[in-house]
Amino acid sequence: MSQTTEQEKTDVNPEWLRIVQEKVETLRYGLVQLVVHDGRVTQIERTEKTRLSGPGHRDGSGI
């Protein structure tokens, strides 16, 4: 297990949290995933989905 530095303990708004907030705020439909290694966020993944509505799109034929 890794040790946490004093700065990590006191950092109220770490960089990864700002990145996640920005990705969530600009996302309409989808998901944001965090990859964690040894208790630290090492990767942030964003998947955005496009939802189609209206006639002809219910069965996916509009894609």
Side-chain angles (χ1 to χ4, degrees):
M1 191 157 87
S2 65
Q3 294 179 338
T4 305
T5 66
E6 285 301 314
Q7 181 167 355
E8 289 172 332
K9 287 181 185 177
T10 59
D11 193 359
V12 176
N13 198 7
E15 181 65 20
W16 68 266
L17 190 54
R18 287 187 286 271
I19 294 169
V20 169
Q21 182 178 9
E22 181 261 320
K23 290 190 179 296
V24 169
E25 288 175 349
T26 59
L27 185 64
R28 186 164 171 157
Y29 296 103
L31 57 97
V32 176
Q33 294 179 314
L34 305 178
V35 178
V36 178
H37 287 255
D38 294 326
R40 296 188 57 182
V41 175
T42 59
Q43 184 172 323
I44 301 168
E45 299 177 6
R46 174 180 152 164
T47 303
E48 186 164 357
K49 300 185 182 296
T50 302
R51 301 224 173 170
L52 304 175
S53 61
H57 291 140
R58 292 177 192 238
D59 62 355
S61 63
I63 299 175

